[in-house]
C-alpha cells in the first residue's frame, strides 16, 4: 500500500494518483503497513492544516505512450466517454471502484452520477472570445504543467471549473474569480478555504495590514498589531499590555481558526530563515537559510523577501490587480500570470 502524503488515504501500489484527494502518489515510496485506528487519529489531526502543503503534488499530464515501431499502424485514440459508467474514468478508461472521487491512473476528478464530466481546459488562445490573459500551472522544478486561457468575461476558477484544476483537493469548488480589465487582470478570492496567495518580488517591501497572513516555506504566519490599553480610572494597568519597543505580534497558523506559538515584533524588526534569524524553521526544507524580514518604518510594518529560493507569499484579502509575470498559489498549485 502507498499512503497519500496529503490526505493519508491508503492506495494500492500500482495507483499513480490518490483515490481520496487526487494528489500524485510518490512512485519511489516503499510499501507501508496499514494504520490502526489510533494511528489514523494521530495523522488525521493535521488534516485541517491543509494550507501548509505547497510544493508537493501539482497537476501533471499523463506520461506519453511509447513510440510505435516504424511502419506500424498507431492505435486509435479512444474517444472521451462523457456518459461513462460509474467508476470508469471518462479520460483514460481506467476502472475505479464506485465511490472514488479521483481516477487512480490519471488523477481526473470523476463525475458524480447524473452530472457531466468537467470540461477540458482550453489550450489555445487568440480567438475572439479570449482576453489574452493566461494562467500557466508550474511544476515544482519550474516547468510548465498546463495552461488555461482566460475569456473576456469574469471567470470563476476552482476544483469544478476545468481539468487543470480538478485534481487539486485543496481548491474550493469556486475558489477565485479572474476579471480581465483594459490592459490588465484582477483576482478576487471567493471565500475559499485555503485562499489565494501572491509571491512577493525579492527585495521589494510589502506593507502588511493587521490580520494579514503570509507564507514562509510551509509555514503560515499571521501578523497582528499590538493594541495598547491605557490604565483604567484607578491607574491599574491591563495585564499583558504591550511593552515599549514592540509594534506587533506574529502567530503560526495551525488550523482554520486557530494559531500556535506567537512572537512579539520589535521596532528593530526580525528575520525568518532555516539557519539565520530571530525566527527559525530548521526542519522546513522550503525555507532558505535567510528567507525574509519584517521591518518597522514610520509606524508601519513591511514584509520583504530576501531572495529566497521558494519565495514568500502573501494571502490576498481583497480584490487586487495582477501584473504580468505574477506567481499565484491556489490550492497546491503555482500559477504564472501572463497578461
Amino acid at each position: 500500500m502507498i499512503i497519500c502524503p496529503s490526505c493519508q488515504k491508503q492506495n494500492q501500489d500500482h495507483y499513480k494518483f490518490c483515490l481520496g484527494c487526487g494528489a500524485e502518489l510518490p512512485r519511489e515510496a516503499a510499501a507501508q503497513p496499514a494504520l490502526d485506528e489510533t494511528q489514523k487519529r494521530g495523522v488525521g489531526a493535521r488534516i485541517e492544516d491543509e494550507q501548509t502543503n505547497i510544493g508537493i503534488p501539482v497537476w501533471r499530464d499523463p506520461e506519453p505512450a511509447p513510440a510505435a515501431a516504424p511502419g506500424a499502424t498507431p492505435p486509435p485514440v479512444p474517444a472521451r466517454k462523457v456518459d461513462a459508467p460509474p467508476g470508469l474514468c471518462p479520460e483514460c478508461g481506467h476502472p475505479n471502484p464506485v465511490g472514488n472521487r479521483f481516477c487512480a491512473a490519471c488523477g481526473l476528478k470523476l463525475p458524480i452520477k447524473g452530472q457531466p464530466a468537467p470540461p477540458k481546459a482550453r489550450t489555445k488562445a487568440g480567438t475572439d472570445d479570449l482576453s489574452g490573459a493566461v494562467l500557466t500551472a508550474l511544476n515544482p522544478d519550474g516547468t510548465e504543467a498546463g495552461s488555461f486561457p482566460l475569456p473576456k468575461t469574469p471567470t470563476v476558477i476552482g476544483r469544478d471549473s476545468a481539468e487543470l484544476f480538478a485534481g487539486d483537493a485543496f481548491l474550493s469548488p469556486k475558489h477565485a474569480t479572474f476579471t480581465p480589465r483594459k490592459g490588465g487582470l484582477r483576482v478576487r478570492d471567493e471565500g475559499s478555504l485555503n485562499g489565494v496567495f501572491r509571491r512577493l518580488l525579492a527585495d521589494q517591501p510589502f506593507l502588511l495590514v493587521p490580520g494579514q497572513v503570509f507564507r514562509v516555506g510551509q509555514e503560515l504566519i499571521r501578523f497582528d498589531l499590538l493594541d495598547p490599553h491605557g490604565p483604567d480610572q484607578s491607574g491599574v494597568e491591563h495585564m499583558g499590555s504591550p511593552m515599549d519597543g514592540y509594534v506587533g505580534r506574529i502567530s503560526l497558523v495551525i488550523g482554520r481558526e486557530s494559531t500556535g506559538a506567537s512572537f512579539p515584533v520589535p521596532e528593530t524588526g526580525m528575520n525568518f530563515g532555516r539557519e539565520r534569524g530571530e525566527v527559525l524553521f530548521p526542519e522546513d526544507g522550503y525555507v532558505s537559510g535567510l528567507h525574509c524580514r519584517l521591518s518597522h518604518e514610520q509606524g508601519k510594518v513591511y514584509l520583504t523577501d530576501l531572495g529566497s529560493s521558494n519565495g514568500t507569499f502573501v494571502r490576498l484579502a481583497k480584490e487586487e490587480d495582477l501584473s504580468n509575470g505574477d506567481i499565484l498559489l491556489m490550492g497546491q498549485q503555482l500559477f504564472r500570470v501572463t497578461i
Side-chain angles (χ1 to χ4, degrees), residues 22-279:
E24 186 175 3
L25 296 173
R27 304 314 308 159
E28 69 279 2
Q32 301 183 36
L35 298 177
D36 58 29
E37 292 302 319
T38 302
Q39 291 173 312
K40 288 180 180 179
R41 288 194 294 271
V43 298
R46 285 192 59 83
I47 290 179
E48 287 296 330
D49 193 13
E50 62 275 352
Q51 298 106 323
T52 62
N53 290 315
I54 182 179
I56 38 181
V58 294
W59 181 270
R60 291 182 175 86
D61 295 327
E63 296 181 1
T73 302
V77 178
R80 183 182 178 90
K81 304 177 181 62
V82 177
D83 298 324
L88 186 65
C89 177
E91 181 67 26
C92 67
H94 179 79
N96 296 275
V98 177
N100 285 354
R101 297 176 56 197
F102 298 89
C103 177
C106 69
L108 177 73
K109 182 181 179 182
L110 297 175
I112 302 173
K113 185 178 180 180
Q115 294 184 359
K120 275 184 173 291
R122 290 162 295 179
T123 56
K124 295 183 180 179
T127 59
D128 293 339
D129 61 335
L130 299 180
S131 67
V134 180
L135 295 179
T136 302
L138 302 176
N139 289 318
D141 60 0
T143 58
E144 297 183 359
S147 61
F148 185 83
L150 293 168
K152 294 180 180 180
T153 56
T155 303
V156 178
I157 297 299
R159 196 172 63 243
D160 293 340
S161 59
E163 287 177 13
L164 184 64
F165 315 101
D168 192 341
F170 295 92
L171 283 173
S172 296
K174 292 179 173 55
H175 199 94
T177 297
F178 289 83
T179 305
R181 299 292 180 93
K182 186 176 181 180
L185 182 68
R186 305 199 77 181
V187 61
R188 182 180 70 249
D189 188 349
E190 294 295 343
S192 64
L193 177 62
N194 293 312
V196 179
F197 289 77
R198 176 162 55 182
R199 181 171 179 168
L200 298 180
L201 297 176
D203 301 318
Q204 298 293 320
F206 177 86
L207 176 62
L208 289 177
V209 298
Q212 191 145 36
V213 174
F214 60 96
R215 184 170 193 133
V216 178
Q218 292 184 314
E219 319 302 327
L220 281 179
I221 304 170
R222 191 182 72 201
F223 167 75
D224 293 292
L225 284 176
L226 296 182
D227 186 16
H229 294 279
D232 64 10
Q233 296 179 352
S234 302
V236 178
E237 295 282 353
H238 287 261
M239 183 177 294
S241 294
M243 297 176 62
D244 292 338
Y246 294 92
V247 297
R249 176 183 63 243
I250 58 167
S251 305
L252 300 182
V253 178
I254 60 174
R256 189 179 308 178
E257 299 292 340
S258 58
T259 57
S262 296
F263 306 88
V265 179
E267 292 179 344
T268 54
M270 61 195 313
N271 296 310
F272 301 79
R274 193 178 69 251
E275 301 169 350
R276 292 176 290 161
E278 288 72 32
V279 180

